Amino acid sequence: MSFEIALRHRIGECELSVQFAVQDQVLGLTGPSGAGKTSLLNCIAGLIRPAQGRIVVGSRVLADTHSGLSVPIEQRHAGYVFQDARLFPHMNVAANLAYGRRRADAAPRSIDSAMVQEVLGITQLANRSPDTLSGGEVRRVAIARALLSGPQFLLLDEPLASLDQPRALEILSMIEDLVREIRIPVLFVTHQPDLLEQLASNILELPQSPLPLQR
Amino acid sequence: MITSAEWSIIGLSLKVSLVAITLTLPLAYALAWLLARRLFPGRSLLDALVHLPLVVPPVVTGWLLLILFGRTGPLGMMLENLFGISLVFRWTGAAVAAAVMALPLMVRAMRLSIEAVDRRLVGAARTLGASPWHAFRTITLPLSLPGILAGAMLGFARSLGEFGATITFVSNIPGQTRTLPLAIYTGLQVPGGESDVTRLAIMSILLSLSALLVSEWLIRRANGARAHVV
């Protein structure tokens, strides 16, 4: 089992209600903006505590409101690539990439830092400050940072946005290679499901918008 | 040039302000963090208490300090019995008065800078394996450093200028509690003291001005260093 998720969570005036269980290593997730894709990822990463539900990734139960279990964020070992990158502005690229290294060193399978930087084409950026990077560079550094933190699963929130088409395809095939090699569950959120046909064996679509609360 | 009596007044002022700010800094930052980042019962009350010295007349603050820390006050007796420390008529009391008066300004500046730190960055740090404390040390603290410096500067300037609470709490004792503002006040009470007052006033202005310049420089350095921190 890669992802087994059943949760209900209220966001503002709407309620996000999701339930699925899949075996696929790579799961695509699509749906219109406002459907709650990012909220779902935040629940899995532990940044949001769902009001009710159960989250299992791989063989680990990360949260179960029924038994009151909620694994702390830092112990969930998510490799989360945020839609807004969230590079640390006071650290250069090398320090950003090294931030998760302590955990990565303890992980059973680690990913070679030089190889990732090479594939993502960011080797030259090590001493640069995030505010001097282009949008595409920021995204590639964010992907590398998540990969190098010793993740047990990946949450990719529109990782190909703001990349040009050749670069997007290149990164996609790199993710494909990595996924084949390290064999961890991947949840891939995208607006362009056609991009995922190669990579994901299963693509879920979240409905138009979360259900308005019943009054 | 500057007479030894004037040097001792300046020295006392600097000692009182520096001790007040150094001791208050961690407390102010902790309060600022609590008020910026945590919701808890009594938050508004704590906020109001921290701001109290900013809004009540300094004389009242000094009087309250006298009641609390005086020889017969509950905290004063405790300090005397446990540590043999007495604040009354001592420079340490002047430092406490300066610290209490500076606290709200320091908390305000630091709170603003903590609120300006994007919480999503802290969330990102947590997903990368950082404990809440590690994320605080590596993200929130360094990113709010300019606010810490600004708060320390504001507090220092406020301490240097502290008058009302000090004179009420620990009186106007030469060499113990007669800081620059109190010395200027004393000079004004003496016939023919105008030239002393002028000299002390100029020194006071220069001191505050240099504190301001130093802090501006430190803040610029803290911001400029961002790109080089590894």
Side-chain angles (χ1 to χ4, degrees):
Chain A
M1 193 66 66
S2 66
F3 293 96
E4 182 196 329
I5 286 158
L7 60 85
R8 293 158 82 83
H9 186 71
R10 190 182 158 164
I11 309 156
E13 286 295 293
C14 297
E15 192 179 68
L16 173 69
S17 178
V18 189
Q19 183 159 15
F20 62 84
V22 295
Q23 300 282 358
D24 314 81
Q25 190 201 346
V26 181
L27 174 66
L29 187 68
T30 180
S33 29
K37 301 186 293 293
T38 299
S39 299
L40 176 58
L41 293 194
N42 284 338
C43 286
I44 300 173
L47 294 169
I48 297 179
R49 272 189 175 211
Q52 190 191 330
R54 181 177 153 88
I55 297 169
V56 183
V57 179
S59 52
R60 290 176 72 209
V61 182
L62 298 180
D64 188 346
T65 52
H66 189 66
S67 63
L69 172 82
S70 180
V71 176
I73 307 167
E74 66 271 20
Q75 287 165 25
R76 294 196 179 195
H77 298 257
Y80 193 165
V81 177
F82 299 92
Q83 202 172 355
D84 52 357
R86 304 193 194 178
L87 298 185
F88 304 131
H90 57 306
M91 302 179 190
N92 65 16
V93 169
N96 266 282
L97 294 180
Y99 195 87
R101 188 182 292 153
R102 199 161 52 154
R103 185 174 74 188
D105 287 343
R109 289 163 303 200
S110 68
I111 305 172
D112 182 51
S113 172
M115 186 270 282
V116 167
Q117 292 186 52
E118 176 88 37
V119 176
L120 286 167
I122 56 172
T123 311
Q124 306 301 319
L125 305 179
N127 294 317
R128 297 265 296 275
S129 161
D131 57 11
T132 67
L133 302 178
S134 72
E137 288 170 335
V138 164
R139 191 155 301 272
R140 283 181 275 148
V141 172
I143 295 173
R145 185 177 70 173
L147 288 173
L148 293 176
S149 69
Q152 291 178 3
F153 58 98
L154 293 178
L155 302 172
L156 310 175
D157 197 356
E158 303 275 4
L160 306 179
S162 79
L163 291 173
D164 52 42
Q165 189 76 1
R167 185 66 84 175
L169 292 174
E170 204 181 324
I171 287 178
L172 198 61
S173 78
M174 184 215 71
I175 293 174
E176 227 168 332
D177 291 347
L178 284 168
V179 160
R180 205 171 298 130
E181 192 170 328
I182 59 176
R183 307 216 57 84
I184 55 176
V186 178
L187 187 53
F188 195 123
V189 169
T190 179
H191 270 111
Q192 306 152 274
D194 47 311
L195 276 177
L196 277 183
E197 273 165 12
Q198 291 279 323
L199 182 64
S201 47
N202 199 348
I203 298 180
L204 280 181
E205 186 168 352
L206 281 190
Q208 181 65 38
S209 69
L211 304 165
L213 281 175
Q214 303 288 320
R215 290 186 187 274
Chain B
M1 277 298 284
I2 301 176
T3 67
S4 70
E6 286 166 344
W7 272 122
S8 79
I9 292 169
I10 293 174
L12 177 68
S13 285
L14 286 175
K15 179 167 81 173
V16 165
S17 297
L18 284 173
V19 167
I21 295 316
T22 313
L23 293 182
T24 320
L25 206 59
L27 175 69
Y29 192 82
L31 285 169
W33 185 86
L34 270 179
L35 292 172
R37 290 296 204 223
R38 283 282 173 269
L39 281 172
F40 53 92
R43 183 167 170 267
S44 311
L45 185 67
L46 181 66
D47 200 10
L49 274 177
V50 165
H51 281 90
L52 210 57
L54 199 64
V55 288
V56 304
V59 178
V60 175
T61 304
W63 175 74
L64 286 172
L65 287 173
L66 197 56
I67 289 179
L68 287 173
F69 288 100
R71 287 249 153 73
T72 53
L75 294 174
M77 271 164 49
M78 205 176 78
L79 281 177
E80 179 91 64
N81 293 336
L82 289 179
F83 307 106
I85 299 175
S86 168
L87 302 179
V88 187
F89 304 133
R90 301 284 316 276
W91 73 270
T92 44
V96 168
V100 169
M101 295 305 291
L103 188 70
L105 290 172
M106 295 170 76
V107 172
R108 281 178 85 83
M110 292 178 192
R111 179 181 176 172
L112 282 177
S113 78
I114 293 170
E115 281 169 350
V117 175
D118 192 342
R119 296 180 89 150
R120 292 173 306 174
L121 293 176
V122 178
R126 297 286 306 279
T127 68
L128 290 164
S131 64
W133 170 242
H134 187 71
F136 168 77
R137 257 182 32 226
T138 52
I139 308 295
T140 310
L141 190 62
L143 285 175
S144 60
L145 187 62
I148 298 177
L149 296 173
M153 162 60 208
L154 273 173
F156 184 69
R158 181 66 188 79
S159 297
L160 275 181
E162 173 33 43
F163 178 80
T166 308
I167 202 165
T168 313
F169 178 31
V170 289
S171 187
N172 185 359
I173 317 279
Q176 279 295 339
T177 68
R178 186 172 292 170
T179 55
L180 266 170
L182 272 71
I184 292 172
Y185 170 77
T186 310
L188 286 170
Q189 307 298 306
V190 182
E194 288 83 3
S195 74
D196 285 351
V197 169
T198 310
R199 289 171 61 86
L200 288 169
I202 290 172
M203 287 169 213
S204 174
I205 291 168
L206 288 177
L207 206 57
S208 302
L209 206 58
S210 10
L212 186 67
L213 291 174
V214 168
S215 89
E216 288 289 318
W217 177 74
L218 280 173
I219 291 169
R220 251 204 320 279
R221 242 178 57 132
N223 281 326
R226 272 190 179 190
H228 309 295
V229 175
V230 174

